[in-house]
Amino acid sequence: DIEVRPARLRGIAVPERLVPLAIDEFPAFFVAAACAEGETVVTGAEELRVKESDRIAVMAAGLSALGVANEVSEGGLRIMGGPIGPGTVDSRGDHRIAMSFAVASLRSSGPIEILDTANVATSFPGFVGLARSVGLTIEVAAAVKRNQQGHSHLFSLWSASHLYRPTNEPVSTGAKDGLPSPDQQMAATTYLLNKLNRVWGPSPRAE
């Protein structure tokens, strides 16, 4: 069983010796870093460059599209926590990136459109239902995309947003006007991240 308690997130420098133990979880971790107070730095994660996408570059571009300040290095990312805005993110067909930016909509000030999400149906077919169960609104649509050669193909996209809007005044505990507080929203985010980790399973440990 997993017990979830709300807490304020604070930025950290991730020790390089821990990077191989969670290499596949970094897209979701980068979203959590965007929600944290202060700066989070990841180094020694060059393996992210050769996953289903270049996850360092694609996550950096997605965070920038949502107004989250970040700096790219060869083997990592520096993220300055702050507000997450609405915008359009291209997941480049990477299932973990698509799901991670859907989670980001729990903290965004408006909807996030996520392109190229079809691969999620293969790796985690129940994701949309699970996300909706913890407060996300996800609309699934099909669209046409043209490549550089002018050829077009169908791909899926999501429009993700949270059901609840934060109040104008910060609330540390309890709800106001029937809306969850920021802490309760963070608890929902943490719950969903933990559920994703249980479905994906732990990354292989380094020898």
Side-chain angles (χ1 to χ4, degrees), residues 12-74:
I12 62 168
V14 178
E16 288 194 10
R17 62 182 175 78
L18 299 181
V19 168
L21 306 182
I23 198 70
D24 285 332
E25 282 65 55
F26 275 110
F29 177 82
F30 290 152
V31 168
C35 299
E37 298 174 2
E39 182 178 274
T40 296
V41 180
V42 175
T43 57
E46 289 85 356
E47 185 182 344
L48 291 174
R49 297 277 190 187
V50 292
K51 290 292 188 176
E52 286 85 340
S53 68
D54 180 340
R55 286 180 175 163
I56 292 175
V58 176
M59 285 299 301
L63 290 171
S64 294
L66 303 181
V68 179
N70 64 88
E71 296 176 2
V72 177
S73 65
E74 181 60 30

Side-chain angles (χ1 to χ4, degrees), residues 75-108:
L77 198 57
R78 180 189 304 269
I79 298 170
M80 282 62 80
I84 298 175
T88 299
V89 173
D90 192 342
S91 73
R92 302 289 181 179
D94 190 318
H95 58 136
R96 293 179 189 271
I97 288 177
M99 289 186 281
S100 296
F101 279 113
V103 172
S105 73
L106 279 167
R107 301 289 291 176
S108 67

Side-chain angles (χ1 to χ4, degrees), residues 105-198:
S105 73
L106 279 167
R107 301 289 291 176
S108 67
S109 60
I112 299 174
E113 184 178 62
I114 306 162
L115 307 181
D116 219 350
T117 60
N119 285 343
V120 176
T122 300
S123 65
F124 191 169
F127 173 78
V128 171
L130 173 62
R132 286 170 174 164
S133 75
V134 295
L136 278 76
T137 300
I138 296 185
E139 299 176 4
V140 182
V144 176
K145 186 175 184 180
R146 291 186 179 274
N147 60 22
Q148 292 180 346
Q149 290 73 38
H151 301 298
S152 62
H153 65 279
L154 286 173
F155 72 102
S156 66
L157 63 87
W158 294 342
S159 179
S161 59
H162 50 76
L163 290 172
Y164 311 114
R165 293 286 183 265
T167 58
N168 292 330
E169 299 178 4
V171 183
S172 59
T173 58
K176 184 177 181 180
D177 298 328
L179 302 178
S181 70
D183 279 350
Q184 290 171 320
Q185 292 179 33
M186 183 57 71
T189 304
T190 304
Y191 169 80
L192 183 53
L193 291 174
N194 278 312
K195 291 285 283 186
L196 294 179
N197 190 48
R198 291 182 70 181

